[in-house]
Amino acid sequence: MPKETRGFITILTGLYSFQDCVHFLAAVRKFHQEPIIILIDQVPKILYPFLTAFKHVTLKPAPANANTVLASRQAKLALYESSDFDKTIYLDSDICLLDNINDVFEYLDEYDCLLTEDVQPYIVKATNLIRGNQEENLHQVLPILQSVGLPLKEDSIQYNGGFLAFRKTETTKKLFDEFKRYFEIVKDNQEKLLLKDQGAFASAIATVCPKMKVLPHTYNYLSKWKDAYNVDEPIKVLHCTYPYRPQYAKDVTRSFYTRVFDRLAKLFLPNQVTNPWRVK
C-alpha cells in the first residue's frame, strides 16, 4: 500500500504579500519538512528563487486575474485539485507558525476537514460580507445573503478562510465543488456583497455537511483582534502580516537569509502597510 502523503499549500497573488510568504516558508520549515505548494500569480519569475531557496517548495500557477483579490479567492476555490497530497493544510501566506501542528495532520485520519471559526462567527452578524454601512446592515445580513440564494440560517457559522485542513475524499471534493458554485453567486451579486468567500464556504458546509472538527483560535490567532479572544493555551498559528508581527514571532523566522531578504525587500517590494487590495 503506498505511503500516505501530506503537505502544506498557500497562495501568493501579487507582490504585496511576497515578504509575508518568505517568512511563512521560514516558519513552516522551522517546524515541518513536508512539501509546500505555492499557488502563485502576478509575481515576476525573476523573484521565484527567493521562494524556492527553501527545500521542497513547488510553485504552481494560480488562476490568473487582474484583480489580485479575485485571483486569491479563485485560488482558494482550486485548493482541492491543486493539492498533490492525501492530507493538506492550507494556510494564508501571512501566517507564522509558532509550533508544529502535526496534530492537525493526525486529526485528518478521522475528519474530512478542520477549520477555525471567525472572530465574529455568527452569520447573522457578518456585516463584513455585505456592502454598505455595517451598523445599518446588522439586521439585514441574513436576509440579504438568503435573497441571493445562499442556503444560510440563523445558526450558520462563519469560518475564517486563513486556515483549512482537508483530506482527499469524495465528500471533500463535493465540498469544494459546492464552494465554487456558491462563490459564483457571491461574484454575481457584488452590488450587495463584498468579494469575500466566507458566505460561500459556510453555504458549502451547510449543503455537504462534511465530518469536520472546529479547532480553537490558537490555530488561527489574528493578533489584530486579540482583545476579542479568550484563550488560555499557547498560540500555535499566528495570523498577521509581517510588518505588524510581534517581535517574538519575527524571531521565529529570523535567520541570515531572512535578514538579508528583508533589507532587499525595502528596495524592490511595495509597502505592505499601504496595500490597496486590503481594503477591497
Side-chain angles (χ1 to χ4, degrees), residues 3-10 24 27-29 31-37 56 83-91 97 99-115 163-169 213 215 219 236-237:
K3 185 177 179 182
E4 186 176 67
T5 58
R6 63 190 208 178
F8 292 86
I9 191 165
T10 194
F24 166 84
V28 173
R29 278 291 164 262
F31 301 106
H32 288 271
Q33 295 307 311
E34 288 88 357
I36 305 170
I37 294 172
H56 310 304
S83 175
D84 298 332
F85 318 120
D86 299 310
K87 295 179 177 180
T88 303
I89 297 177
Y90 166 77
L91 299 169
L97 293 189
D99 199 350
N100 81 73
I101 51 174
N102 284 317
D103 53 340
V104 175
F105 285 121
E106 292 165 4
Y107 283 134
L108 289 172
D109 288 334
E110 182 180 355
Y111 297 97
D112 293 311
C113 60
L114 290 89
L115 314 136
F163 173 101
L164 171 62
F166 61 91
R167 62 188 172 113
K168 289 288 184 82
T169 66
K213 181 177 179 63
L215 295 172
Y219 287 81
K236 287 197 162 193
V237 180

Side-chain angles (χ1 to χ4, degrees), residues 21-91:
C21 194
V22 167
H23 284 273
F24 166 84
L25 296 172
V28 173
R29 278 291 164 262
K30 180 153 187 175
F31 301 106
H32 288 271
Q33 295 307 311
E34 288 88 357
I36 305 170
I37 294 172
I38 304 175
L39 301 183
I40 192 167
D41 183 48
Q42 296 196 48
V43 174
K45 290 188 177 181
I46 195 172
L47 300 182
Y48 285 11
F50 284 110
L51 305 172
T52 55
F54 296 91
K55 292 182 179 180
H56 310 304
V57 171
T58 300
L59 306 182
K60 290 187 176 186
N65 197 289
N67 181 332
T68 57
V69 172
L70 184 54
S72 178
R73 304 290 187 261
Q74 291 176 331
K76 195 168 290 186
L77 299 174
L79 288 177
Y80 186 90
E81 55 260 38
S82 298
S83 175
D84 298 332
F85 318 120
D86 299 310
K87 295 179 177 180
T88 303
I89 297 177
Y90 166 77
L91 299 169

Side-chain angles (χ1 to χ4, degrees), residues 35-242:
I36 305 170
I37 294 172
I38 304 175
L39 301 183
I40 192 167
D41 183 48
Q42 296 196 48
V43 174
K45 290 188 177 181
I46 195 172
L47 300 182
Y48 285 11
F50 284 110
L51 305 172
T52 55
F54 296 91
K55 292 182 179 180
H56 310 304
V57 171
T58 300
L59 306 182
K60 290 187 176 186
N65 197 289
N67 181 332
T68 57
V69 172
L70 184 54
S72 178
R73 304 290 187 261
Q74 291 176 331
K76 195 168 290 186
L77 299 174
L79 288 177
Y80 186 90
E81 55 260 38
S82 298
S83 175
D84 298 332
F85 318 120
D86 299 310
K87 295 179 177 180
T88 303
I89 297 177
Y90 166 77
L91 299 169
D92 277 357
S93 61
D94 59 349
I95 272 176
C96 179
L97 293 189
L98 303 180
D99 199 350
N100 81 73
I101 51 174
N102 284 317
D103 53 340
V104 175
F105 285 121
E106 292 165 4
Y107 283 134
L108 289 172
D109 288 334
E110 182 180 355
Y111 297 97
D112 293 311
C113 60
L114 290 89
L115 314 136
T116 60
E117 291 184 353
D118 200 77
V119 177
Q120 170 47 267
Y122 303 109
I123 283 289
V124 292
K125 296 182 179 180
T127 53
N128 57 298
L129 304 181
I130 307 297
R131 292 196 181 276
N133 183 280
Q134 291 198 351
E135 186 174 339
E136 292 176 1
N137 278 336
L138 184 58
H139 300 296
Q140 294 297 317
V141 173
L142 189 58
I144 291 173
L145 293 172
Q146 291 175 334
S147 72
V148 300
L150 298 181
L152 299 169
K153 300 178 181 178
E154 289 188 0
D155 59 351
S156 294
I157 296 296
Q158 177 179 210
Y159 300 97
N160 186 280
F163 173 101
L164 171 62
F166 61 91
R167 62 188 172 113
K168 289 288 184 82
T169 66
E170 284 301 314
T171 300
T172 312
K173 182 180 184 304
K174 185 177 179 182
L175 178 67
F176 276 92
D177 288 343
E178 292 297 300
F179 187 16
K180 293 175 188 177
R181 183 166 72 89
Y182 288 122
F183 187 73
E184 285 300 309
I185 292 176
V186 173
K187 195 167 68 169
D188 292 341
N189 287 274
Q190 288 186 56
E191 74 283 358
K192 296 180 180 179
L193 308 180
L194 292 170
L195 195 59
K196 296 188 176 183
D197 53 51
Q198 293 99 314
F201 191 72
S203 297
I205 291 286
T207 300
V208 178
C209 299
K211 186 177 183 183
M212 65 185 207
K213 181 177 179 63
V214 178
L215 295 172
H217 289 299
T218 51
Y219 287 81
N220 190 4
Y221 187 92
L222 286 81
S223 61
K224 179 180 179 180
W225 305 107
K226 60 184 179 181
D227 293 337
Y229 295 118
N230 182 20
V231 299
D232 53 11
E233 304 253 334
I235 299 166
K236 287 197 162 193
V237 180
L238 180 67
H239 193 168
C240 64
T241 58
Y242 186 75

